[in-house]
């Protein structure tokens, strides 16, 4: 998502006359796109800022150069707001995820006044639908297309609804136009993006039935009332897949509740939609899932996996898991390991819980699992996942698959260099 947002920012700045440089030492402006999901993501940014503060100081000693401007964009900017400039005086600009259109003005204001410029207003309808992103990937084989922003789910551990705001979707016609354009440019794979990508619902289209209700997967519930009207994800997916039958379609990051049968049927009927689904589980224990407010039980998650495998027998599954959430006992954690074993994921993103201010968990629960226990559980999740993934991978030995060559891997480059 941050790569995609950076492409949007590039487009806005390019239109305002800014140019790219490939070295921070030559830059007049350094903008840092940030994440706030875990504390570690923010620590990395604070470390970077120490380095940029040094660059700013040495720039100020050079004659005939404008002062270096430093800006913080994205979720950390949204979370910390003016606290950022109070803590780090070298920061000139703070812009949240919905204020990128305002960047040229913010840069000019900071430069004119010498005071930090801040815009962290969240929007109910900003989707940057009309902005044509300036692609970061030079190879042009793959591309991201942002289709929705924000999240209405309010899982108790998660900062996203506070940093990204309410859920809103980009009109279908502008998505189809962008995908069509990418196909003409020779892009071979498009990944549709959103914080809750399969909650997509375009309410602007006249084709939609105003009474049609969003359908969730069986056994899943939401914190909000069922939404009505709008074109749903299944419709979008089908239309996107028909733009260019040779173009691979992926999407991330979905929520398991938004995988009703209609979505699975579209994936089955369209060979160019990659048969690889992300089903973030977070935990394998019902009490933990309840405390997380995920809206499902272990049983309903497993039923979904079974339905997915019935409709898409060759599906590759991936997931996200958090260990050490507030109050998680050893035996509750064992249920997470057993779920990882039972399902068998091809890929997994595994995290130790990081308490975030503002979230329900911060208000209601204690971050009471000691760091060393979180770490030990993380290691256990990684090794359990790897054992299962190795078995799945072995079952593919000797099979033929169509692959997309995205580029030369760094590992390969290092090998060549060493030879
Ligand atoms: N919308 C997606 C996930 C987006 S956030 C979903 O609901 O599945 C990406 C992942 O970060 C989450 O799936 C979760 O595993 C992890 N995550 C979110 N908040 C976290 C926290 N406070 N500590 C550790 N991991 C967290
Ligand atoms: Fe965070 Fe995903 Fe839950 Fe939204 S659905 S609050 S992004 S974990």
């Amino acid at each position: 998502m941050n790569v995609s947002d950076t492409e949007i920012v590039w487009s806005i700045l390019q239109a305002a006359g800014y140019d790219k440089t490939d070295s921070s030492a030559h830059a007049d402006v350094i903008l840092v796109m940030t994440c706030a999901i875990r504390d570690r993501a923010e620590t990395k940014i604070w470390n970077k800022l120490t380095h940029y503060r040094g660059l700013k100081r040495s720039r100020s000693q050079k004659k005939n150069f404008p002062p270096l401007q430093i800006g913080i964009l994205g979720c950390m900017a949204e979370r910390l707001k003016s606290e950022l400039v109070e803590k780090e005086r070298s920061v000139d600009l703070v812009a949240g995820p919905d204020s990128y259109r305002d960047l040229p003005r913010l840069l000019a204001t900071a430069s004119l006044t010498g005071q930090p410029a801040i815009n962290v207003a969240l929007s109910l309808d900003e989707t940057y639908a009309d902005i044509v992103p300036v692609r970061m990937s030079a190879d042009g084989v793959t591309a991201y297309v942002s289709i929705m922003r924000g999240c209405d789910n309010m899982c108790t551990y998660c900062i996203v609804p506070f940093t990204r705001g309410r859920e809103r979707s980009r009109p279908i016609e502008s998505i189809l136009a962008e995908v069509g354009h990418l196909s003409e440019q020779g892009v071979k794979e498009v990944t549709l993006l959103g914080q809750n990508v399969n909650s997509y619902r375009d309410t602007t289209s006249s084709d939609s039935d105003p009474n049609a209700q969003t359908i969730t997967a069986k056994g899943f519930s939401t914190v909000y009332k069922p939404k009505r009207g709008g074109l749903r994800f299944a419709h979008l997916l089908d239309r996107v897949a028909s733009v260019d039958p040779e173009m691979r379609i992926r999407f991330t990051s979905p929520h398991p509740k938004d995988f009703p049968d209609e979505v699975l049927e579209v994936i089955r009927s369209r060979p160019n939609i990659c048969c690889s689904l992300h089903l973030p589980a977070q935990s394998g224990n019902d009490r933990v899932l309840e405390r997380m407010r995920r809206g499902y039980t272990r049983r309903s998650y497993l039923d979904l996996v079974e339905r997915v495998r019935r409709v898409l027998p060759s599906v590759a599954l991936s997931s996200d898991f958090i260990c050490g959430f507030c109050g998680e006992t050893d035996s509750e954690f064992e249920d997470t390991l057993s779920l990882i074993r039972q399902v068998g994921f091809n890929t997994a993103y595994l995290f130790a819980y990081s308490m975030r201010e503002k979230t329900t968990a911060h208000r209601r629960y204690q971050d009471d699992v000691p760091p060393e226990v979180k770490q030990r559980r993380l290691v256990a999740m990684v090794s359990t996942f790897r054992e299962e993934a190795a078995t799945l991978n072995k079952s593919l030995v000797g099979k033929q698959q169509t692959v997309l060559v995205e580029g030369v891997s760094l590992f390969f480059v290092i090998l060549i260099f060493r030879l």
Side-chain angles (χ1 to χ4, degrees), residues 204-267:
T204 63
S205 170
S206 52
D207 296 350
S208 80
D209 169 3
N211 292 315
Q213 195 171 307
T214 41
I215 313 169
T216 42
K218 281 181 212 122
F220 287 72
S221 64
T222 56
V223 287
Y224 50 82
K225 289 198 196 112
K227 295 178 180 177
R228 286 188 181 276
L231 296 175
R232 297 190 296 270
F233 187 63
H235 181 89
L236 171 79
L237 204 52
D238 195 45
R239 298 277 306 273
V240 166
S242 67
V243 170
D244 175 356
E246 294 294 310
M247 185 189 245
R248 289 179 172 216
I249 310 297
R250 295 181 184 276
F251 53 90
T252 201
S253 181
H255 191 292
K257 76 176 163 58
D258 296 310
F259 276 113
D261 294 348
E262 61 175 16
V263 171
L264 302 179
E265 288 303 332
V266 171
I267 299 173

Side-chain angles (χ1 to χ4, degrees), residues 36-39 150-151 153 155-160 194-197 253-256 278-282 292 294 296 319-323 325 349-356 359:
I37 196 112
R38 283 167 291 274
D39 190 49
C151 175
N153 287 318
C155 301
T156 57
Y157 53 82
C158 187
I159 191 74
V160 168
Q195 269 82 41
N196 240 284
V197 74
S253 181
H255 191 292
H278 190 53
L279 298 180
Q282 314 301 355
M292 288 177 161
R294 287 291 289 179
Y296 52 86
S319 196
D320 294 351
F321 285 95
I322 300 175
C323 65
F325 183 57
Y349 301 89
L350 308 169
F351 309 105
Y353 174 61
S354 168
M355 172 70 95
R356 312 308 286 138
T359 57

Side-chain angles (χ1 to χ4, degrees), residues 9-249:
V9 167
W10 266 127
S11 178
I12 291 166
L13 290 179
Q14 211 174 54
Y18 285 85
D19 213 350
K20 263 191 206 180
T21 166
D22 47 16
S23 153
S24 52
H26 299 143
D28 297 328
V29 177
I30 297 177
L31 299 176
V32 192
M33 184 61 81
T34 63
C35 173
I37 196 112
R38 283 167 291 274
D39 190 49
R40 256 184 71 183
E42 292 194 5
T43 309
K44 279 190 203 160
I45 302 299
W46 288 118
N47 293 340
K48 259 191 195 301
L49 280 175
T50 315
H51 171 63
Y52 294 149
R53 192 199 305 143
L55 283 182
K56 190 167 182 165
R57 201 176 305 126
S58 51
R59 169 64 83 97
S60 68
Q61 284 152 10
K62 285 187 189 161
K63 277 190 193 139
N64 304 326
F65 278 96
L68 174 61
Q69 286 189 292
I70 298 174
I72 302 294
L73 314 183
C75 288
M76 186 175 168
E78 189 64 49
R79 193 180 86 76
L80 293 173
K81 304 183 170 56
S82 58
E83 210 182 309
L84 248 169
V85 290
E86 286 154 22
K87 282 197 178 149
E88 178 53 66
R89 300 215 168 262
S90 62
V91 171
D92 303 279
L93 178 155
V94 178
D98 288 344
S99 42
Y100 299 148
R101 285 180 202 270
D102 198 23
L103 280 173
R105 189 193 67 85
L106 292 170
L107 283 164
T109 310
S111 166
L112 276 174
T113 62
Q115 295 297 316
I118 302 179
N119 185 344
V120 285
L122 284 174
S123 155
L124 289 177
D125 52 14
E126 178 62 275
T127 58
Y128 299 108
D130 57 319
I131 301 216
V132 181
V134 176
R135 303 282 164 203
M136 305 274 284
S137 61
D139 57 28
V141 177
T142 59
Y144 292 121
V145 173
S146 172
I147 65 159
M148 58 82 69
R149 298 176 77 85
C151 175
D152 284 351
N153 287 318
M154 304 298 279
C155 301
T156 57
Y157 53 82
C158 187
I159 191 74
V160 168
F162 303 95
T163 57
R164 290 275 173 172
R166 300 299 301 269
E167 203 173 284
R168 67 220 100 122
S169 296
R170 177 176 169 186
I172 194 164
E173 294 308 328
S174 87
I175 299 171
L176 295 174
E178 188 174 338
V179 173
H181 189 59
L182 290 168
S183 157
E184 280 160 21
Q185 288 174 342
V187 168
K188 302 289 181 221
E189 180 177 281
V190 155
T191 304
L192 306 177
L193 286 183
Q195 269 82 41
N196 240 284
V197 74
N198 48 347
S199 293
Y200 178 85
R201 201 170 56 99
D202 174 14
T203 48
T204 63
S205 170
S206 52
D207 296 350
S208 80
D209 169 3
N211 292 315
Q213 195 171 307
T214 41
I215 313 169
T216 42
K218 281 181 212 122
F220 287 72
S221 64
T222 56
V223 287
Y224 50 82
K225 289 198 196 112
K227 295 178 180 177
R228 286 188 181 276
L231 296 175
R232 297 190 296 270
F233 187 63
H235 181 89
L236 171 79
L237 204 52
D238 195 45
R239 298 277 306 273
V240 166
S242 67
V243 170
D244 175 356
E246 294 294 310
M247 185 189 245
R248 289 179 172 216
I249 310 297

